[in-house]
PDB file of all heavy atoms in Angstrom:
ATOM      1  N   TYR A  48       4.302 -10.958   4.164  1.00 92.00           N
ATOM      2  CA  TYR A  48       4.183 -10.018   5.277  1.00 92.00           C
ATOM      3  C   TYR A  48       4.123  -8.608   4.694  1.00 92.00           C
ATOM      4  O   TYR A  48       4.978  -8.214   3.908  1.00 92.00           O
ATOM      5  CB  TYR A  48       5.382 -10.186   6.197  1.00 92.00           C
ATOM      6  CG  TYR A  48       5.579  -9.093   7.217  1.00 92.00           C
ATOM      7  CD1 TYR A  48       4.553  -8.708   8.066  1.00 92.00           C
ATOM      8  CD2 TYR A  48       6.805  -8.458   7.342  1.00 92.00           C
ATOM      9  CE1 TYR A  48       4.740  -7.711   9.006  1.00 92.00           C
ATOM     10  CE2 TYR A  48       7.000  -7.462   8.285  1.00 92.00           C
ATOM     11  CZ  TYR A  48       5.977  -7.091   9.102  1.00 92.00           C
ATOM     12  OH  TYR A  48       6.158  -6.105  10.028  1.00 92.00           O
ATOM     13  N   PHE A  70       5.420   0.845   1.778  1.00 97.00           N
ATOM     14  CA  PHE A  70       5.241  -0.494   2.330  1.00 97.00           C
ATOM     15  C   PHE A  70       6.349  -1.405   1.809  1.00 97.00           C
ATOM     16  O   PHE A  70       6.839  -1.211   0.694  1.00 97.00           O
ATOM     17  CB  PHE A  70       3.899  -1.096   1.886  1.00 97.00           C
ATOM     18  CG  PHE A  70       2.704  -0.332   2.377  1.00 97.00           C
ATOM     19  CD1 PHE A  70       2.215   0.753   1.674  1.00 97.00           C
ATOM     20  CD2 PHE A  70       2.068  -0.706   3.549  1.00 97.00           C
ATOM     21  CE1 PHE A  70       1.121   1.467   2.128  1.00 97.00           C
ATOM     22  CE2 PHE A  70       0.965  -0.003   4.003  1.00 97.00           C
ATOM     23  CZ  PHE A  70       0.492   1.089   3.296  1.00 97.00           C
ATOM     24  N   THR A  71       6.712  -2.388   2.603  1.00 95.00           N
ATOM     25  CA  THR A  71       7.571  -3.469   2.131  1.00 95.00           C
ATOM     26  C   THR A  71       6.756  -4.742   2.211  1.00 95.00           C
ATOM     27  O   THR A  71       6.204  -5.074   3.256  1.00 95.00           O
ATOM     28  CB  THR A  71       8.850  -3.613   2.984  1.00 95.00           C
ATOM     29  OG1 THR A  71       9.584  -2.398   2.894  1.00 95.00           O
ATOM     30  CG2 THR A  71       9.701  -4.768   2.491  1.00 95.00           C
ATOM     31  N   LEU A  72       6.647  -5.418   1.082  1.00 95.00           N
ATOM     32  CA  LEU A  72       5.947  -6.697   1.024  1.00 95.00           C
ATOM     33  C   LEU A  72       7.032  -7.774   0.936  1.00 95.00           C
ATOM     34  O   LEU A  72       7.828  -7.766  -0.005  1.00 95.00           O
ATOM     35  CB  LEU A  72       5.039  -6.738  -0.199  1.00 95.00           C
ATOM     36  CG  LEU A  72       3.993  -7.841  -0.207  1.00 95.00           C
ATOM     37  CD1 LEU A  72       2.787  -7.394  -1.009  1.00 95.00           C
ATOM     38  CD2 LEU A  72       4.537  -9.117  -0.765  1.00 95.00           C
ATOM     39  N   THR A  73       7.075  -8.643   1.927  1.00 93.00           N
ATOM     40  CA  THR A  73       8.051  -9.729   1.946  1.00 93.00           C
ATOM     41  C   THR A  73       7.318 -11.025   1.640  1.00 93.00           C
ATOM     42  O   THR A  73       6.389 -11.393   2.367  1.00 93.00           O
ATOM     43  CB  THR A  73       8.738  -9.831   3.320  1.00 93.00           C
ATOM     44  OG1 THR A  73       9.261  -8.555   3.667  1.00 93.00           O
ATOM     45  CG2 THR A  73       9.852 -10.865   3.296  1.00 93.00           C
ATOM     46  N   TYR A  74       7.713 -11.678   0.549  1.00 91.00           N
ATOM     47  CA  TYR A  74       7.063 -12.922   0.144  1.00 91.00           C
ATOM     48  C   TYR A  74       7.989 -14.089   0.471  1.00 91.00           C
ATOM     49  O   TYR A  74       9.178 -14.071   0.144  1.00 91.00           O
ATOM     50  CB  TYR A  74       6.732 -12.903  -1.347  1.00 91.00           C
ATOM     51  CG  TYR A  74       5.923 -14.112  -1.759  1.00 91.00           C
ATOM     52  CD1 TYR A  74       4.557 -14.174  -1.477  1.00 91.00           C
ATOM     53  CD2 TYR A  74       6.509 -15.199  -2.391  1.00 91.00           C
ATOM     54  CE1 TYR A  74       3.799 -15.282  -1.828  1.00 91.00           C
ATOM     55  CE2 TYR A  74       5.763 -16.312  -2.748  1.00 91.00           C
ATOM     56  CZ  TYR A  74       4.415 -16.335  -2.463  1.00 91.00           C
ATOM     57  OH  TYR A  74       3.666 -17.435  -2.807  1.00 91.00           O
ATOM     58  N   ALA A  93       8.249 -15.988  -7.753  1.00 90.00           N
ATOM     59  CA  ALA A  93       7.546 -15.236  -6.716  1.00 90.00           C
ATOM     60  C   ALA A  93       7.684 -13.735  -6.971  1.00 90.00           C
ATOM     61  O   ALA A  93       6.708 -12.986  -6.891  1.00 90.00           O
ATOM     62  CB  ALA A  93       8.083 -15.595  -5.338  1.00 90.00           C
ATOM     63  N   HIS A  94       8.898 -13.320  -7.299  1.00 92.00           N
ATOM     64  CA  HIS A  94       9.139 -11.901  -7.588  1.00 92.00           C
ATOM     65  C   HIS A  94       8.276 -11.429  -8.753  1.00 92.00           C
ATOM     66  O   HIS A  94       7.603 -10.397  -8.667  1.00 92.00           O
ATOM     67  CB  HIS A  94      10.627 -11.687  -7.893  1.00 92.00           C
ATOM     68  CG  HIS A  94      10.947 -10.293  -8.284  1.00 92.00           C
ATOM     69  ND1 HIS A  94      10.964  -9.871  -9.586  1.00 92.00           N
ATOM     70  CD2 HIS A  94      11.231  -9.205  -7.527  1.00 92.00           C
ATOM     71  CE1 HIS A  94      11.258  -8.587  -9.626  1.00 92.00           C
ATOM     72  NE2 HIS A  94      11.431  -8.164  -8.396  1.00 92.00           N
ATOM     73  N   ASN A  95       8.280 -12.173  -9.844  1.00 93.00           N
ATOM     74  CA  ASN A  95       7.494 -11.799 -11.027  1.00 93.00           C
ATOM     75  C   ASN A  95       5.992 -11.786 -10.736  1.00 93.00           C
ATOM     76  O   ASN A  95       5.269 -10.898 -11.198  1.00 93.00           O
ATOM     77  CB  ASN A  95       7.795 -12.725 -12.192  1.00 93.00           C
ATOM     78  CG  ASN A  95       9.191 -12.524 -12.741  1.00 93.00           C
ATOM     79  OD1 ASN A  95       9.793 -11.471 -12.555  1.00 93.00           O
ATOM     80  ND2 ASN A  95       9.717 -13.532 -13.406  1.00 93.00           N
ATOM     81  N   VAL A  97       4.418 -11.314  -7.811  1.00 94.00           N
ATOM     82  CA  VAL A  97       4.037 -10.213  -6.926  1.00 94.00           C
ATOM     83  C   VAL A  97       4.152  -8.876  -7.667  1.00 94.00           C
ATOM     84  O   VAL A  97       3.266  -8.025  -7.557  1.00 94.00           O
ATOM     85  CB  VAL A  97       4.877 -10.212  -5.635  1.00 94.00           C
ATOM     86  CG1 VAL A  97       4.584  -8.977  -4.794  1.00 94.00           C
ATOM     87  CG2 VAL A  97       4.609 -11.474  -4.818  1.00 94.00           C
ATOM     88  N   MET A  98       5.198  -8.686  -8.438  1.00 95.00           N
ATOM     89  CA  MET A  98       5.336  -7.442  -9.211  1.00 95.00           C
ATOM     90  C   MET A  98       4.182  -7.301 -10.202  1.00 95.00           C
ATOM     91  O   MET A  98       3.692  -6.198 -10.444  1.00 95.00           O
ATOM     92  CB  MET A  98       6.676  -7.409  -9.947  1.00 95.00           C
ATOM     93  CG  MET A  98       7.882  -7.228  -9.042  1.00 95.00           C
ATOM     94  SD  MET A  98       8.019  -5.594  -8.315  1.00 95.00           S
ATOM     95  CE  MET A  98       8.538  -4.646  -9.729  1.00 95.00           C
ATOM     96  N   PHE A 101       0.870  -5.499  -9.104  1.00 97.00           N
ATOM     97  CA  PHE A 101       0.836  -4.037  -9.022  1.00 97.00           C
ATOM     98  C   PHE A 101       1.236  -3.352 -10.335  1.00 97.00           C
ATOM     99  O   PHE A 101       1.326  -2.133 -10.391  1.00 97.00           O
ATOM    100  CB  PHE A 101       1.725  -3.576  -7.859  1.00 97.00           C
ATOM    101  CG  PHE A 101       1.320  -4.228  -6.570  1.00 97.00           C
ATOM    102  CD1 PHE A 101       2.050  -5.292  -6.052  1.00 97.00           C
ATOM    103  CD2 PHE A 101       0.178  -3.830  -5.902  1.00 97.00           C
ATOM    104  CE1 PHE A 101       1.661  -5.915  -4.881  1.00 97.00           C
ATOM    105  CE2 PHE A 101      -0.226  -4.447  -4.733  1.00 97.00           C
ATOM    106  CZ  PHE A 101       0.514  -5.497  -4.220  1.00 97.00           C
ATOM    107  N   LYS A 116       3.028   2.218  -6.949  1.00 97.00           N
ATOM    108  CA  LYS A 116       4.242   1.899  -7.690  1.00 97.00           C
ATOM    109  C   LYS A 116       4.928   0.749  -6.968  1.00 97.00           C
ATOM    110  O   LYS A 116       4.889   0.672  -5.736  1.00 97.00           O
ATOM    111  CB  LYS A 116       5.183   3.098  -7.740  1.00 97.00           C
ATOM    112  CG  LYS A 116       4.594   4.322  -8.407  1.00 97.00           C
ATOM    113  CD  LYS A 116       5.548   5.499  -8.285  1.00 97.00           C
ATOM    114  CE  LYS A 116       4.918   6.767  -8.816  1.00 97.00           C
ATOM    115  NZ  LYS A 116       5.773   7.931  -8.577  1.00 97.00           N
ATOM    116  N   SER A 117       5.557  -0.127  -7.728  1.00 96.00           N
ATOM    117  CA  SER A 117       6.279  -1.240  -7.117  1.00 96.00           C
ATOM    118  C   SER A 117       7.695  -1.282  -7.662  1.00 96.00           C
ATOM    119  O   SER A 117       7.941  -0.913  -8.804  1.00 96.00           O
ATOM    120  CB  SER A 117       5.562  -2.562  -7.379  1.00 96.00           C
ATOM    121  OG  SER A 117       5.491  -2.817  -8.760  1.00 96.00           O
ATOM    122  N   SER A 118       8.607  -1.727  -6.821  1.00 95.00           N
ATOM    123  CA  SER A 118       9.989  -1.908  -7.253  1.00 95.00           C
ATOM    124  C   SER A 118      10.597  -3.065  -6.477  1.00 95.00           C
ATOM    125  O   SER A 118      10.156  -3.389  -5.376  1.00 95.00           O
ATOM    126  CB  SER A 118      10.807  -0.627  -7.045  1.00 95.00           C
ATOM    127  OG  SER A 118      10.846  -0.281  -5.679  1.00 95.00           O
ATOM    128  N   SER A 119      11.589  -3.667  -7.084  1.00 92.00           N
ATOM    129  CA  SER A 119      12.256  -4.796  -6.452  1.00 92.00           C
ATOM    130  C   SER A 119      13.069  -4.305  -5.262  1.00 92.00           C
ATOM    131  O   SER A 119      13.812  -3.331  -5.361  1.00 92.00           O
ATOM    132  CB  SER A 119      13.174  -5.488  -7.456  1.00 92.00           C
ATOM    133  OG  SER A 119      13.863  -6.532  -6.833  1.00 92.00           O
ATOM    134  N   GLY A 120      12.908  -4.989  -4.151  1.00 90.00           N
ATOM    135  CA  GLY A 120      13.683  -4.660  -2.961  1.00 90.00           C
ATOM    136  C   GLY A 120      14.788  -5.665  -2.722  1.00 90.00           C
ATOM    137  O   GLY A 120      15.442  -5.652  -1.696  1.00 90.00           O
ATOM    138  N   GLY A 121      14.976  -6.583  -3.673  1.00 89.00           N
ATOM    139  CA  GLY A 121      16.008  -7.608  -3.533  1.00 89.00           C
ATOM    140  C   GLY A 121      15.428  -8.912  -3.005  1.00 89.00           C
ATOM    141  O   GLY A 121      14.221  -9.069  -2.890  1.00 89.00           O
ATOM    142  N   VAL A 127      11.598 -12.852  -0.885  1.00 93.00           N
ATOM    143  CA  VAL A 127      11.678 -11.802  -1.905  1.00 93.00           C
ATOM    144  C   VAL A 127      11.078 -10.541  -1.302  1.00 93.00           C
ATOM    145  O   VAL A 127      10.042 -10.605  -0.627  1.00 93.00           O
ATOM    146  CB  VAL A 127      10.867 -12.208  -3.162  1.00 93.00           C
ATOM    147  CG1 VAL A 127      10.788 -11.074  -4.150  1.00 93.00           C
ATOM    148  CG2 VAL A 127      11.462 -13.436  -3.808  1.00 93.00           C
ATOM    149  N   TYR A 128      11.729  -9.405  -1.523  1.00 95.00           N
ATOM    150  CA  TYR A 128      11.232  -8.124  -1.028  1.00 95.00           C
ATOM    151  C   TYR A 128      10.715  -7.279  -2.192  1.00 95.00           C
ATOM    152  O   TYR A 128      11.389  -7.148  -3.211  1.00 95.00           O
ATOM    153  CB  TYR A 128      12.334  -7.345  -0.320  1.00 95.00           C
ATOM    154  CG  TYR A 128      12.926  -8.059   0.862  1.00 95.00           C
ATOM    155  CD1 TYR A 128      14.154  -8.705   0.767  1.00 95.00           C
ATOM    156  CD2 TYR A 128      12.264  -8.075   2.081  1.00 95.00           C
ATOM    157  CE1 TYR A 128      14.704  -9.366   1.848  1.00 95.00           C
ATOM    158  CE2 TYR A 128      12.811  -8.728   3.175  1.00 95.00           C
ATOM    159  CZ  TYR A 128      14.034  -9.371   3.050  1.00 95.00           C
ATOM    160  OH  TYR A 128      14.571 -10.027   4.129  1.00 95.00           O
ATOM    161  N   ILE A 129       9.526  -6.710  -2.023  1.00 96.00           N
ATOM    162  CA  ILE A 129       8.949  -5.799  -3.001  1.00 96.00           C
ATOM    163  C   ILE A 129       8.625  -4.504  -2.258  1.00 96.00           C
ATOM    164  O   ILE A 129       7.947  -4.529  -1.220  1.00 96.00           O
ATOM    165  CB  ILE A 129       7.652  -6.373  -3.630  1.00 96.00           C
ATOM    166  CG1 ILE A 129       7.895  -7.750  -4.249  1.00 96.00           C
ATOM    167  CG2 ILE A 129       7.058  -5.390  -4.631  1.00 96.00           C
ATOM    168  CD1 ILE A 129       8.825  -7.797  -5.416  1.00 96.00           C
ATOM    169  N   GLU A 130       9.114  -3.405  -2.785  1.00 97.00           N
ATOM    170  CA  GLU A 130       8.834  -2.093  -2.197  1.00 97.00           C
ATOM    171  C   GLU A 130       7.611  -1.505  -2.900  1.00 97.00           C
ATOM    172  O   GLU A 130       7.558  -1.486  -4.128  1.00 97.00           O
ATOM    173  CB  GLU A 130      10.038  -1.158  -2.366  1.00 97.00           C
ATOM    174  CG  GLU A 130      11.334  -1.694  -1.789  1.00 97.00           C
ATOM    175  CD  GLU A 130      11.310  -1.928  -0.291  1.00 97.00           C
ATOM    176  OE1 GLU A 130      10.570  -1.191   0.418  1.00 97.00           O
ATOM    177  OE2 GLU A 130      11.998  -2.841   0.179  1.00 97.00           O
ATOM    178  N   LEU A 131       6.650  -1.040  -2.123  1.00 97.00           N
ATOM    179  CA  LEU A 131       5.429  -0.437  -2.668  1.00 97.00           C
ATOM    180  C   LEU A 131       5.312   1.001  -2.196  1.00 97.00           C
ATOM    181  O   LEU A 131       5.651   1.319  -1.046  1.00 97.00           O
ATOM    182  CB  LEU A 131       4.191  -1.223  -2.218  1.00 97.00           C
ATOM    183  CG  LEU A 131       4.137  -2.684  -2.639  1.00 97.00           C
ATOM    184  CD1 LEU A 131       2.955  -3.379  -1.990  1.00 97.00           C
ATOM    185  CD2 LEU A 131       4.069  -2.797  -4.152  1.00 97.00           C
TER     186      LEU A 131
END
Side-chain angles (χ1 to χ4, degrees):
Y48 167 53
F70 297 86
T71 299
L72 195 151
T73 307
Y74 186 78
H94 176 268
N95 291 338
V97 174
M98 289 290 287
F101 305 102
K116 300 174 186 174
S117 61
S118 61
S119 177
V127 173
Y128 300 102
I129 305 295
E130 304 298 330
L131 300 173

